[in-house]
């Protein structure tokens, strides 16, 4: 069965650079979630989108923005990168908005040097 | 402080033994999710519980949600090395269905 696809899988950036992470949800899933997992930490919810509109906002820094496109894929844009942004970034998708199973992608490991 | 408390933080068991991981919320839950994560990899969805008293099983893993919907347990029967990993409980709360909060995780090691 198709799963959530994230690209790239690994990314190395320098401080103050920008990065764009991409997420392709499971086919027919219309809701996308972004999470950040720091080293040794549990995932922290950043933001979610339903039908191309932002539905919930968590602890996403102002330097980050995200959007969901007409084909339901989503992109997380990160600017003015800081060392503390180094983390695993997960995207999850669910079939419908609300309390449905969230299926996670393999993650993008971002390293900021 | 964590909204979701998981215990134990780590667990080492001999292959074939049973084990239980607990997850307690300070607030009434809307949905309780169990995930498994191998180090540095994605989260694998295991089970979701919504109703008080609900119990679900998948292969040798059983998860329960208490009647008050504030505590869940994950039980593994006859553990195998393939069960090793980090088990995370995640929860959504009424009025905040999309913002899933996670516990700190339980690191399970199964010795052959």
């Amino acid at each position: 069965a198709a799963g959530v696809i994230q690209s790239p899988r690994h990314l190395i950036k320098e401080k103050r650079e920008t990065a764009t992470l991409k997420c392709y949800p499971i086919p027919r899933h219309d809701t996308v979630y972004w999470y950040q997992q720091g080293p040794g930490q549990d995932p922290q919810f950043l933001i979610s989108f339903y039908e191309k509109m932002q539905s919930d906002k968590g602890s996403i820094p102002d330097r980050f923005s995200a959007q969901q496109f007409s084909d339901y894929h989503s992109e997380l844009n990160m600017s003015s990168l800081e060392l503390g942004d180094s983390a695993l970034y997960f995207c999850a998708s669910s079939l419908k908005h609300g309390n449905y199973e969230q299926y996670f992608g393999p993650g993008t490991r971002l390293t900021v040097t | 402080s964590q909204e979701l408390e998981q215990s134990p933080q780590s667990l080492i068991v001999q292959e074939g033994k049973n084990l239980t991981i607990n997850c307690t919320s300070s607030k009434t839950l809307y949905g309780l999710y169990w995930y498994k994560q191998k180090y540095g990899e994605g989260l694998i969805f295991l089970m979701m519980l919504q109703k008080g008293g609900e119990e679900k099983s998948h292969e040798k893993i059983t998860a329960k949600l208490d009647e008050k919907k504030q505590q869940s347990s994950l039980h593994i029967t006859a553990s195998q090395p393939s069960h090793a990993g980090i088990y995370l409980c995640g929860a959504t709360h009424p009025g905040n269905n999309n913002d899933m909060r996670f516990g700190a995780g339980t690191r399970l090691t199964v010795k052959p």
Side-chain angles (χ1 to χ4, degrees):
Chain A
V4 177
I5 297 172
Q6 288 188 248
S7 68
R9 293 293 309 276
H10 302 272
L11 191 57
I12 300 175
K13 291 284 185 179
E14 294 187 358
K15 282 196 306 183
R16 293 181 287 277
E17 284 193 318
T18 61
T20 298
L21 309 185
K22 297 185 179 182
C23 169
Y24 298 86
I26 292 171
R28 294 188 296 115
H29 282 196
D30 54 17
T31 306
V32 169
Y33 315 78
W34 285 98
Y35 292 84
Q36 177 192 58
Q37 186 177 31
Q41 312 215 334
D42 53 287
Q44 298 292 317
F45 172 74
L46 294 178
I47 195 167
S48 64
F49 290 88
Y50 166 65
E51 284 290 344
K52 292 151 277 184
M53 300 286 289
Q54 180 184 308
S55 57
D56 275 296
K57 197 171 181 180
S59 52
I60 184 169
D62 292 340
R63 299 177 289 109
F64 295 5
S65 65
Q67 56 183 322
Q68 186 179 31
F69 295 86
S70 57
D71 63 351
Y72 295 106
H73 94 272
S74 178
E75 294 184 4
L76 178 67
N77 299 295
M78 310 157 74
S79 62
S80 303
L81 287 168
E82 302 173 357
L83 295 177
D85 296 328
S86 295
L88 260 175
Y89 289 84
F90 289 110
C91 169
S93 72
S94 68
L95 185 57
K96 288 181 184 179
H97 187 66
N99 204 33
Y100 291 87
E101 293 93 334
Q102 294 184 25
Y103 293 90
F104 281 71
T108 294
R109 182 174 293 282
L110 172 67
T111 303
V112 181
T113 61
Chain B
S1 64
Q2 293 283 142
E3 285 185 25
L4 287 178
E5 294 288 338
Q6 267 188 255
S7 63
Q9 287 185 336
S10 65
L11 193 53
I12 302 173
V13 299
Q14 201 68 39
E15 182 176 359
K17 296 292 186 185
N18 303 336
L19 63 106
T20 299
I21 299 169
N22 294 301
C23 177
T24 302
S25 172
S26 57
K27 301 187 286 186
T28 299
L29 302 168
Y30 189 69
L32 189 286
Y33 302 74
W34 283 101
Y35 289 90
K36 179 184 173 186
Q37 183 178 31
K38 297 260 183 186
Y39 178 74
E41 297 183 11
L43 280 68
I44 300 168
F45 173 78
L46 297 175
M47 271 170 280
M48 172 187 164
L49 304 165
Q50 271 187 286
K51 299 176 184 175
E54 188 175 9
E55 179 176 323
K56 286 186 178 178
S57 292
H58 175 67
E59 298 179 345
K60 294 185 178 180
I61 301 176
T62 301
K64 300 178 185 178
L65 182 61
D66 74 333
E67 290 288 344
K68 290 184 179 179
K69 294 178 65 174
Q70 283 190 268
Q71 188 166 21
S72 178
S73 60
L74 184 82
H75 184 78
I76 299 178
T77 304
S79 57
Q80 299 169 357
S82 61
H83 286 128
I86 300 171
Y87 289 82
L88 289 158
C89 66
T92 53
H93 297 92
N96 208 7
N97 298 347
N98 291 309
D99 182 352
M100 186 184 300
R101 303 300 172 95
F102 286 88
T106 296
R107 183 180 294 275
L108 172 64
T109 303
V110 180
K111 289 188 171 181

